[in-house]
Amino acid sequence: MKIHYTGKLEELTKEQKKNLDAHYAKLGKLVDRRGEKEAHVVLTAVRHLKKAEVTMNYYGRSAVGTATHKDQFFALLGAIDKLEKQLHKIRDKWN
Protein backbone atom coordinates (compact mmCIF):
# COMPACT_ATOMS: atom_id res chain seq x y z
CA MET A 1 0.00 0.00 0.00
CA LYS A 2 1.36 3.39 -1.02
CA ILE A 3 0.90 6.32 1.34
CA HIS A 4 1.21 9.95 0.22
CA TYR A 5 1.49 12.66 2.86
CA THR A 6 0.47 16.26 2.24
CA GLY A 7 1.18 18.84 4.90
CA LYS A 8 3.75 18.92 7.66
CA LEU A 9 4.35 15.55 9.30
CA GLU A 10 5.78 16.01 12.77
CA GLU A 11 8.67 13.86 13.89
CA LEU A 12 7.41 10.54 15.28
CA THR A 13 9.18 8.17 17.63
CA LYS A 14 10.18 4.67 16.56
CA GLU A 15 7.29 3.12 18.49
CA GLN A 16 4.79 5.48 16.89
CA LYS A 17 6.14 4.75 13.38
CA LYS A 18 5.95 1.03 14.10
CA ASN A 19 2.37 1.37 15.33
CA LEU A 20 1.32 3.38 12.25
CA ASP A 21 2.99 0.84 9.95
CA ALA A 22 1.01 -1.93 11.65
CA HIS A 23 -2.26 -0.04 11.10
CA TYR A 24 -1.39 0.63 7.45
CA ALA A 25 -0.51 -3.04 6.98
CA LYS A 26 -3.92 -3.98 8.39
CA LEU A 27 -5.58 -1.64 5.87
CA GLY A 28 -3.39 -3.10 3.14
CA LYS A 29 -4.60 -6.62 3.85
CA LEU A 30 -8.17 -5.38 3.61
CA VAL A 31 -7.90 -3.53 0.29
CA ASP A 32 -4.93 -4.85 -1.72
CA ARG A 33 -6.78 -7.72 -3.36
CA ARG A 34 -7.16 -5.97 -6.72
CA GLY A 35 -3.66 -4.53 -7.01
CA GLU A 36 -1.78 -2.11 -4.82
CA LYS A 37 -3.90 0.77 -3.52
CA GLU A 38 -2.96 4.31 -2.56
CA ALA A 39 -3.89 6.30 0.51
CA HIS A 40 -3.65 10.09 0.62
CA VAL A 41 -3.05 11.65 4.03
CA VAL A 42 -3.66 15.38 4.49
CA LEU A 43 -2.30 16.91 7.69
CA THR A 44 -3.33 20.38 8.87
CA ALA A 45 -2.91 22.37 12.06
CA VAL A 46 -5.32 24.97 13.43
CA ARG A 47 -4.03 26.64 16.56
CA HIS A 48 -3.50 23.82 19.04
CA LEU A 49 -5.44 21.10 17.16
CA LYS A 50 -4.00 18.78 14.55
CA LYS A 51 -6.30 17.38 11.87
CA ALA A 52 -5.64 14.23 9.86
CA GLU A 53 -7.66 13.21 6.82
CA VAL A 54 -7.03 9.86 5.12
CA THR A 55 -8.64 9.33 1.69
CA MET A 56 -8.77 6.12 -0.30
CA ASN A 57 -10.69 4.82 -3.31
CA TYR A 58 -12.14 1.34 -2.93
CA TYR A 59 -14.58 -0.42 -5.27
CA GLY A 60 -15.21 2.83 -7.10
CA ARG A 61 -16.14 4.71 -3.95
CA SER A 62 -14.17 7.31 -2.06
CA ALA A 63 -13.73 6.55 1.65
CA VAL A 64 -12.53 9.31 3.95
CA GLY A 65 -11.54 9.14 7.61
CA THR A 66 -10.99 12.38 9.52
CA ALA A 67 -9.98 13.03 13.11
CA THR A 68 -8.65 15.90 15.21
CA HIS A 69 -6.54 15.75 18.35
CA LYS A 70 -3.91 17.76 20.19
CA ASP A 71 -1.28 15.21 19.13
CA GLN A 72 -0.79 14.46 15.45
CA PHE A 73 -0.12 10.75 16.09
CA PHE A 74 -3.48 10.25 17.80
CA ALA A 75 -5.23 12.22 15.05
CA LEU A 76 -3.69 9.84 12.48
CA LEU A 77 -4.77 6.78 14.46
CA GLY A 78 -8.32 8.08 14.77
CA ALA A 79 -8.56 8.81 11.06
CA ILE A 80 -7.21 5.36 10.16
CA ASP A 81 -9.73 3.68 12.47
CA LYS A 82 -12.65 5.60 10.92
CA LEU A 83 -11.42 4.76 7.43
CA GLU A 84 -11.13 1.08 8.34
CA LYS A 85 -14.75 1.02 9.54
CA GLN A 86 -15.91 2.59 6.26
CA LEU A 87 -13.90 0.12 4.18
CA HIS A 88 -15.41 -2.82 6.09
CA LYS A 89 -18.85 -1.42 5.43
CA ILE A 90 -18.16 -1.03 1.68
CA ARG A 91 -16.65 -4.51 1.45
CA ASP A 92 -19.64 -6.07 3.24
CA LYS A 93 -22.01 -4.39 0.76
CA TRP A 94 -20.12 -5.98 -2.13
CA ASN A 95 -20.13 -9.40 -0.49
Side-chain angles (χ1 to χ4, degrees):
M1 186 157 124
K2 295 180 184 178
I3 302 153
H4 302 284
Y5 287 99
T6 304
K8 186 177 178 183
L9 180 64
E10 294 178 356
E11 198 62 35
L12 301 173
T13 64
K14 290 181 183 179
E15 294 85 20
Q16 289 175 338
K17 287 180 185 177
K18 192 175 181 180
N19 195 345
L20 279 178
D21 290 339
H23 282 278
Y24 285 130
K26 190 175 179 183
L27 277 179
K29 285 182 183 178
L30 181 67
V31 299
D32 281 343
R33 296 178 187 195
R34 295 180 155 192
E36 192 169 22
K37 299 292 182 183
E38 294 183 0
H40 299 281
V41 180
V42 179
L43 303 168
T44 56
V46 178
R47 291 190 175 189
H48 63 282
L49 287 179
K50 311 292 188 214
K51 181 180 179 182
E53 179 179 316
V54 183
T55 307
M56 181 179 250
N57 289 327
Y58 188 57
Y59 280 115
R61 300 182 194 273
S62 181
V64 179
T66 59
T68 57
H69 197 271
K70 291 180 184 178
D71 188 14
Q72 191 176 55
F73 173 70
F74 292 115
L76 279 169
L77 285 181
I80 291 170
D81 288 339
K82 288 181 182 180
L83 178 67
E84 185 179 354
K85 288 178 186 178
Q86 287 183 14
L87 293 176
H88 276 291
K89 193 173 185 179
I90 292 171
R91 190 184 74 178
D92 290 342
K93 283 184 180 180
W94 276 89
N95 289 337

